[in-house]
Amino acid sequence: VAEVSPESDESLSCSTRVDMCLHGSNHLGLKSKSFVNWMIKEYPCARPVTLVLKQWLIEQTYGMSHSGGLCSYGLLLMVVCFLQHCPVKTVGGALIGFLNFYGRRFEPKLYGVSVARGAFLHRKHPMSWPPEQAHLVEKGLLNTGKSEFSLLPRKLEMTGEEAHRFDPLWVEDPLNPTNNVGRNCFRIRQIQRSLARAADAMAASEAGSQLRSILRVESQGDHDGQDAEGNNWRESVQSKHDQNEDLYQSLAEHAPNLEFPMSAHAQMARSHLPQ
């Protein structure tokens, strides 16, 4: 609670108390942060794969939910749900597996994505949904607990409704099972076709531009004139370069020639983005 006193008029001696607390029952920011931290820690491949896919989605103009694309939170949940079912050990295997699964096998009209339940949920058969994972409840990572997760499928079964039937993509929010993170992703079919083409390009020898360019960082020579600030910048760039090189080497183990085709609008998008 903060007290605000008017300083311009001395005749006003009263003060106004303003409640600035962010710990209300409807504020899920801190809970979301804890859940994201858990996902990244539990699934080490999730972070690098999500970052690569996020950059790729932006270059394909699919990275904004307000224009029918996929938001970052929804993308992370899709990556983690895939890793829950296919626990690969390398980043390259996780990336290629994601591209193949969501590009060719996943049917968004029939199934939804749920990290809290650790399953792909059939929209038309809610009673077949598994309960939320017990260890997530024990750790206090789920905001609603068991009641809402168990009541939702029963309610849908009684009413005969299909889960989020008007939404093109269903990605269940772990902190609020009634919220669909992917409800605005009406370009999901275009995204799936692009994912399938990207999977093919990673194994094609005739593709135009290498995957290494997606992970590129600026050269150190661009900031040689700076002193202390330049040194800190170069250390940061070198650290990113080392991480990207490790990721590229991991990917190289899963395909003979990893390359992505780059369209003109993708190159323009990349030129306007900070590295």
Side-chain angles (χ1 to χ4, degrees), residues 67-261:
S67 60
L70 184 61
C71 66
S72 300
Y73 187 44
L75 175 62
L76 177 60
L77 291 174
M78 292 176 66
V79 170
V80 171
C81 193
F82 168 76
L83 294 176
Q84 287 176 330
H85 287 264
C86 302
V88 295
K89 297 182 180 180
T90 62
V91 178
L95 177 59
I96 295 177
F98 180 95
L99 296 175
N100 280 315
F101 175 77
Y102 284 105
R104 291 190 170 90
R105 300 184 180 182
F106 181 69
E107 178 50 65
K109 288 186 177 181
L110 297 179
Y111 293 93
V113 178
S114 175
V115 174
R117 305 175 191 270
F120 295 98
L121 310 179
H122 201 293
R123 289 180 180 240
K124 298 182 179 180
H125 301 288
M127 295 307 297
S128 65
W129 301 352
E132 72 284 1
Q133 300 183 79
H135 67 278
L136 296 180
V137 177
E138 295 173 357
K139 293 179 180 180
L141 294 173
L142 301 181
N143 184 61
T144 56
K146 295 184 177 181
S147 57
E148 194 166 347
F149 276 92
S150 59
L151 291 177
L152 179 60
R154 294 182 181 274
K155 179 181 177 181
L156 293 173
E157 183 71 17
M158 292 177 61
T159 58
E161 296 182 5
E162 180 181 338
H164 302 280
R165 58 177 177 174
F166 297 113
D167 296 340
L169 175 66
W170 176 26
V171 181
E172 184 184 65
D173 187 349
L175 303 182
N176 182 9
T178 61
N179 179 40
N180 179 13
V181 180
R183 62 183 177 274
N184 294 326
C185 190
F186 57 83
R187 301 172 70 187
I188 181 59
R189 288 301 186 185
Q190 299 175 12
I191 294 175
Q192 285 189 290
R193 288 193 291 268
S194 296
L195 291 174
R197 287 195 297 267
D200 294 336
M202 291 180 70
S205 58
E206 68 277 3
S209 58
Q210 295 184 356
L211 177 63
R212 191 187 297 270
S213 62
I214 277 188
L215 307 173
R216 69 182 181 182
V217 293
E218 296 180 24
S219 62
Q220 299 182 16
D222 296 339
H223 290 258
D224 287 339
Q226 301 180 2
D227 297 330
E229 183 178 356
N231 292 333
N232 294 335
W233 183 89
R234 283 191 292 271
E235 291 177 1
S236 175
V237 169
Q238 186 61 40
S239 175
K240 293 179 181 179
H241 181 273
D242 294 341
Q243 295 177 4
N244 293 337
E245 188 65 24
D246 293 341
L247 174 59
Y248 183 82
Q249 294 299 329
S250 175
L251 292 170
E253 299 175 359
H254 294 82
N257 189 3
L258 299 177
E259 297 176 330
F260 271 93

